[in-house]
Amino acid sequence: MVVVSGLVGGVVQRCLGELGLGFGRGGCDLLVGDCGSVGGLRGVPGVYILVDGGVVLYVGEAGDVARRVGGEHCKARIGASEGVTRLLMYLLGEVCMRSDEWVRLNVVDRERFIVNRILKPTINKLTIITVTCPQLKNPKTRNRERLKLEKCLINELKPTLQYTPRKP
């Protein structure tokens, strides 16, 4: 287990505590890494946090973390998930600023350029924090625990790509 210092680590522990879960023997594991570190989580349920520098961008959940994060987010499969679409919107300014590099390309080459030269390099620089627990996969409760953990983390961390402050 890797301990995440600061705000994110404390929030993860607090949210797990609200669900009666914790780290340690038979409990939850925390992995801090990048796109290359999620491959071992094939078939493992969990919640993931995408961080750019010190900024929490996105919190998501999946029944198979490796498939969702490694196969969709890290490969920048446009339209594969809500998270990838939100990352694309986050990077839209950069895509537009570099339009002189892709504007004259055909549709297929344009998409390849945007994915391979803009999206993937940025996504591969992100820190990916995953929280996995055997208790986060329970078909009888429709994975309610995983959804509660995701909601708690979103409410506490206020990810840039998901959080909209409420108007008074």
Side-chain angles (χ1 to χ4, degrees):
M1 178 180 82
V2 177
V3 178
V4 179
S5 62
L7 174 72
V8 175
V11 169
V12 168
Q13 283 193 304
R14 194 167 44 255
C15 288
L16 285 171
E18 287 180 18
L19 293 173
L21 301 171
F23 297 113
R25 193 174 188 98
C28 301
D29 287 318
L30 190 72
L31 175 66
V32 179
D34 56 18
C35 284
S37 64
V38 296
L41 300 175
R42 184 136 333 268
V44 176
V47 175
Y48 58 93
I49 304 164
L50 304 179
V51 182
D52 185 8
V55 179
V56 175
L57 295 178
Y58 187 78
V59 174
E61 60 82 25
D64 183 337
V65 173
R67 180 190 56 77
R68 173 64 49 81
V69 178
E72 294 175 7
H73 288 40
C74 293
K75 291 185 179 177
R77 289 187 47 221
I78 296 173
S81 71
E82 175 188 357
V84 175
T85 302
R86 287 178 185 252
L87 281 169
L88 177 62
M89 298 307 293
Y90 177 69
L91 296 170
L92 191 56
E94 171 121 10
V95 170
C96 291
M97 285 188 334
R98 295 179 62 182
S99 65
D100 59 323
E101 297 176 60
W102 54 260
V103 72
R104 289 182 180 84
L105 300 174
N106 65 48
V107 174
V108 172
D109 289 340
R110 190 179 301 167
E111 181 177 335
R112 281 188 191 131
F113 179 88
I114 291 169
V115 168
N116 294 323
R117 299 274 181 93
I118 299 173
L119 297 180
K120 279 185 181 180
T122 302
I123 292 168
N124 285 320
K125 290 179 191 171
L126 298 178
T127 298
I128 301 170
I129 301 167
T130 57
V131 182
T132 59
C133 314
Q135 301 90 333
L136 295 180
K137 185 166 188 160
N138 185 346
K140 291 181 183 177
T141 62
R142 305 188 84 160
N143 303 311
R144 200 172 305 132
E145 296 83 3
R146 194 169 68 231
L147 295 171
K148 284 181 185 177
L149 178 57
E150 177 193 38
K151 183 177 180 180
C152 179
L153 291 171
I154 290 170
N155 288 336
E156 294 282 327
L157 294 172
K158 298 171 180 43
T160 302
L161 301 180
Q162 289 168 297
Y163 184 72
T164 305
R166 293 183 182 202
K167 295 179 182 176

